[in-house]
Amino acid sequence: MAPIPKMMKAVQIEKTGGVEVLQYKDCPVPSPKDDEVLIKNEYLGVNYIDTYFRTGLYPNPKPMILGREGSGSIAALGAAVPASLAFANGDEVVYLGTSAYAEYTACPVGKVLKIPKGVSSSDACAALLQGLTALTLVEEAHKVQSGDWILVLAATGGVGGWLCQILKAKGAKTIGTVGSESKVDIAKEQGANVVVIDQPGQGDVLKTVKDCTNGQGVAAVFDGVGRDTFERSLECVARKGTVASFGNASGAVEPFLISKLSAKNAKVVRPTLFNYVSTREEFEHYSEALWAMMIDKKFNVRIHDIYPLKGVAKAHTDIESRKTMGKLLLKP
């Protein structure tokens, strides 16, 4: 392998704000700690959580290199990386970590996986965070059963597309919301049984839920939109159902009276992926299930676009527009 340079290009923020705070600049290449590996990045995932750190919705010390996932090859191993993991320099890997918007990232070895045969580096990066989010939502946030009616908001988004495919495979019936007519067929291709255009004058989500479920409501709502849809999600859920609020695309959910849940004995959960894959065993369990879906069941990995790392501002603008379909990637 080529020698590791001392400096690299990275995207760093020193203050919170709009896309103007994203700085494409020279930064030192990190040295891996004993339990880390240094990865030369090939692809980097863009996720809504990156915009939360950029805007300050999620506070974090500054300066900060953004990014939570990537794929590439191992450039160096920390001194205490377990031999049982069988990692070697040059291995093609994918990871969940921090400081991914860079040419090189040091990542704890417990959150690094070899990319299996049959999966490309770009697909592995595009699938990991959003695919695992969808898998853990349907297995742990609400254990979906065959025959359940489920409401998925933003059904053609990164997580929404995965949810529709997984729910179809589990035998559930999915109502998906989209933002425009152009996304209806895509949502159906991904597995949604019923699609609603969630725009004033174009579709009534609550009426559609009641019509499909004989007035009972859905067993679960998977809501990554947040503030603008949370109250409606509570209306859509059935007695003893679950609202899984896992994102803030429209802003953070406002505080609410917990007594509101008693009308239906409903449950509200606010999960994050990282607490479902905290251990190596959990991470490997769900990742192996994800690879099987991609390789054996031919699940679709939809990539919206691949942007150069220096074009990160355009990627953030696009994802915040809520007009994209599928995964946004960066290439250093």
Side-chain angles (χ1 to χ4, degrees), residues 108-301:
V109 71
K111 290 295 182 283
V112 180
L113 296 163
K114 291 183 182 180
I115 299 174
K117 290 183 179 179
V119 176
S120 68
S121 182
S122 58
D123 280 358
C125 184
L128 190 64
L129 192 148
Q130 293 177 341
L132 291 183
T133 297
L135 261 175
T136 53
L137 285 172
V138 303
E139 292 294 335
E140 302 216 33
H142 176 86
K143 181 69 172 177
V144 174
Q145 305 295 328
S146 178
D148 283 349
W149 274 103
I150 305 294
L151 176 60
V152 175
L153 306 190
T156 58
V159 176
W162 280 102
L163 280 167
C164 289
Q165 293 185 83
I166 295 168
L167 290 167
K168 181 179 180 180
K170 290 177 75 69
K173 294 171 285 188
T174 302
I175 302 166
T177 73
V178 296
S180 65
E181 181 70 38
S182 64
K183 295 184 177 183
V184 171
D185 288 343
I186 300 298
K188 290 180 178 178
E189 289 172 11
Q190 297 283 72
N193 300 84
V194 178
V195 180
V196 188
I197 301 173
D198 192 8
Q199 294 290 348
Q202 295 192 62
D204 188 326
V205 176
L206 181 58
K207 182 179 184 301
T208 301
V209 165
K210 289 183 175 180
D211 289 347
C212 289
T213 63
N214 295 317
Q216 299 301 303
V218 292
V221 182
F222 294 119
D223 184 344
V225 177
R227 181 181 58 209
D228 291 353
T229 55
F230 180 73
E231 291 293 334
R232 188 186 63 194
S233 292
L234 289 177
E235 292 184 77
C236 288
V237 76
R239 183 178 65 88
K240 299 195 291 184
T242 302
V243 174
S245 178
F246 66 92
N248 309 298
S250 65
V253 173
E254 299 290 339
F256 68 99
L257 291 173
I258 196 169
S259 58
K260 293 182 70 167
L261 304 179
S262 64
K264 298 180 182 178
N265 284 8
K267 297 180 286 293
V268 172
V269 294
R270 182 50 176 95
T272 65
L273 168 63
F274 299 95
N275 283 328
Y276 286 138
V277 295
S278 178
T279 69
R280 181 71 186 185
E281 291 74 19
E282 291 168 333
F283 188 42
E284 289 183 349
H285 168 75
Y286 282 113
S287 298
E288 287 168 5
L290 180 64
W291 305 142
M293 290 175 179
M294 294 169 64
I295 298 168
D296 301 333
K297 297 185 179 180
K298 308 300 182 185
F299 274 33
N300 178 35
V301 181

